[in-house]
Amino acid sequence: MQNLFNGIAITGSGSAVPQTCLTNENLTQIVDTSDEWITTRTGIKERKIALAPESLTSLATAASQQALAAAGITAADINLILLATSTPDDLFGTACRVQNELGAIKAVAFDLTAACSGFVFGLVTAAQYIKTGVYENVLLIGADILSRWVDWEDRGSCVLFGDGAGAVVIQANKSDRLLGFTLKSDGTQNQYLNLNYKGTTQELNSSEIQVTQGKFHPITMNGREVYRFAVQKVPEVIDKTLFTAHLQAEDIDWLILHQANQRIINAVAERLEIPQHKVISNVANYGNTSAASIPLALDEAVRQGKIQCDDIIAISGFGAGLSWGAAIFKWGR
Ligand code: ACO
C-alpha cells in the first residue's frame, strides 16, 4: 500500500464525553475547596467522569465514529489507528480494542503515550506515516480517563482533571496542510508530574526466587512548577513553529491549547498577542482531559461552525514528561 501524495489534510473530527458531571460544588463534599477558588485559579466549573460501563475503549470508539462520518470514510478505509492515552483499559494497549469495536479490519493499531502532549505528538507521528507514502488514512484519537488515577484526597490536583475523548481523520493530500510542527521533551523535570509504578520485592513460595510486584500510584504534581513551565515553554514552541511555517502570530485564525487551566491559556495568548476572540477554550466544562483536550475543543469549535475550511489553527500540548509541542495546520481538505 503506497499513497501517491506526500501532503496531509485533517478531514474530520469527533468527540465523546462521559454522562456523569462532577461540579465544583460536588468537590466541596470531598476536599476542602470552594467553587470560588477553583473558578478563579483554573476557570474550571465542572468535569465529566467515566463510570462503568463507560471505558476508554467506549469513549474512543464513539469519538472515532463521529470523526469517520465527518471525513466521509468508513472504518474499513483506515490504515492506521493511533490512540494517544496515558490511561489505557489495558496496559498492553487499548488501540486494538478500538480497532475491533470500529471494525477497522485493515488497520494496524497501537497506543502512544505522551500525557497531555499526546495529541500533538500523535498528529506529527501520523503525518510521518502519510508523508513517507506508507499509509493513506490515519485515525488519531486522544482519550484519557484521569479520574481513575487522581488522588481524590489531594485538593491541589483532584479539582483539575476530567475524562473524555476526541478524534480526527488525517488523510493523504496533494498539498501539505500541516504547515509546521515542533516537539520537545525534558526528562530533567520529570519529577514535577507523575503517575508512578511502585513495587516491593518478595520471595515466591518461601523460595529464594524473588520478584518485584506492585501497582501504579495516583497522580502527584508540583502545580507551581508545571504552571511556570507551561507559560514559558508554550509561547516559545508556538513562536518557533510559526517561524518554521513562515507565518506570523496574526496569521493564526484559532489558537487551541491543551485545556489545563484558563490562566495558562490567557497568559500564553497574551504573550503571543493573540486576541481572545481567536482563542478556543472549553476548560470550564471539562477540566483537564489530558490527551483528549485539544481534539475535544477542536471538534466542538468545528461543530459550532466557528472553524471553517482553510482556517489556520495553531495547537499546543504540554504536560508530563515533561513534554510539549506545537503544530500549525489548515483545517479541512
Ligand atoms: N481549594 C482551595 N485551596 C487550594 C486548593 C483547592 N482545590 N488547591 C490548593 N489550594 C491552596 C494551597 O494549599 C495553597 O494554600 P497555602 O498558600 O495556604 O499553602 C494555596 O491554595 C495556593 O496554592 P498554589 O498551588 O500556589 O496555587 P496556584 O495558584 O499555583 O494554583 C494550580 C494551583 C491550579 C494547580 C496551578 O498551579 C496550575 O494550574 N498548575 C498547572 C497544573 C497543570 O496544568 N497540570 C497538568 C499538566 S497536564 C498533564 O500532563 C497531566
Side-chain angles (χ1 to χ4, degrees):
M1 142 197 12
Q2 278 275 312
N3 86 63
L4 299 174
F5 305 137
N6 58 4
I8 71 137
I10 304 177
T11 56
S13 65
S15 59
V17 291
Q19 285 181 359
T20 307
C21 181
L22 190 67
T23 64
N24 291 350
E25 210 50 53
N26 296 147
L27 284 168
T28 64
Q29 295 167 34
I30 56 171
V31 284
D32 180 14
T33 191
S34 64
D35 175 49
E36 199 264 334
W37 192 96
I38 301 170
T39 305
T40 53
R41 300 290 177 121
T42 72
I44 300 166
K45 296 299 279 182
E46 60 186 45
R47 67 289 290 142
K48 311 294 183 283
I49 301 294
L51 298 181
E54 290 167 324
S55 65
L56 195 84
T57 306
S58 72
L59 294 172
T61 302
S64 300
Q65 284 163 338
Q66 285 183 12
L68 291 171
I73 64 168
T74 68
D77 297 320
I78 306 168
N79 311 117
L80 170 66
I81 298 173
L82 291 176
L83 173 59
T85 188
S86 307
T87 53
D89 289 337
D90 179 344
L91 265 188
F92 286 148
T94 303
C96 292
R97 294 189 184 187
V98 177
Q99 177 208 13
N100 183 42
E101 291 293 320
L102 292 172
I105 45 170
K106 274 198 323 207
V108 60
F110 61 91
D111 291 16
L112 181 155
T113 305
C116 302
S117 308
F119 184 76
V120 177
F121 282 37
L123 173 60
V124 175
T125 306
Q128 306 315 305
Y129 280 104
I130 294 174
K131 288 182 182 191
T132 50
V134 180
Y135 296 132
E136 193 175 342
N137 300 315
V138 181
L139 174 67
L140 168 64
I141 309 154
D144 267 307
I145 301 185
L146 279 175
S147 64
R148 289 173 172 172
W149 294 109
V150 160
D151 178 352
W152 291 104
E153 291 179 359
D154 175 13
R155 67 177 183 169
S157 62
C158 77
V159 302
L160 303 176
F161 299 107
D163 306 333
V168 292
V169 171
I170 307 166
Q171 296 188 269
N173 200 53
K174 258 186 199 159
S175 66
D176 191 10
R177 293 169 75 85
L178 177 60
L179 308 176
F181 67 84
T182 313
L183 305 181
K184 295 275 187 182
S185 306
D186 179 4
T188 66
Q189 301 192 65
N190 179 263
Q191 70 278 11
Y192 293 140
L193 188 46
N194 301 102
L195 202 175
N196 271 325
Y197 171 84
K198 287 181 196 144
T200 49
T201 300
Q202 51 203 287
E203 285 173 357
L204 293 179
N205 274 345
S206 314
S207 70
E208 286 183 1
I209 300 165
Q210 293 186 324
V211 291
T212 300
Q213 290 206 316
K215 57 180 185 173
F216 286 90
H217 286 250
I219 295 168
T220 57
M221 182 182 73
N222 182 328
R224 280 183 201 180
E225 288 299 337
V226 176
Y227 188 95
R228 213 194 317 267
F229 145 78
V231 297
Q232 185 199 344
K233 296 297 185 188
V234 174
E236 263 177 36
V237 86
I238 294 174
D239 251 342
K240 182 160 188 267
T241 309
L242 281 166
F243 181 78
T244 58
H246 308 293
L247 294 170
Q248 312 288 326
E250 56 263 33
D251 297 321
I252 294 173
D253 294 305
W254 302 106
L255 177 68
I256 309 180
L257 302 181
H258 167 47
Q259 307 283 300
N261 182 325
Q262 190 60 45
R263 280 160 62 213
I264 295 177
I265 295 172
N266 293 346
V268 172
E270 204 171 298
R271 208 166 285 186
L272 292 167
E273 297 184 14
I274 295 178
Q276 275 304 319
H277 69 267
K278 291 185 170 186
V279 180
I280 288 171
S281 171
N282 62 8
V283 70
N285 303 329
Y286 303 110
N288 177 347
T289 57
S290 192
S293 86
I294 293 174
L296 191 54
L298 172 76
D299 182 55
E300 271 197 1
V302 169
R303 284 172 200 277
Q304 287 163 356
K306 283 185 181 171
I307 293 177
Q308 300 285 327
C309 189
D310 291 334
D311 281 355
I312 294 178
I313 302 172
I315 62 172
S316 180
F318 55 90
L322 298 179
S323 62
W324 66 106
I328 300 177
F329 56 86
K330 269 193 186 176
W331 178 249
R333 201 191 275 284

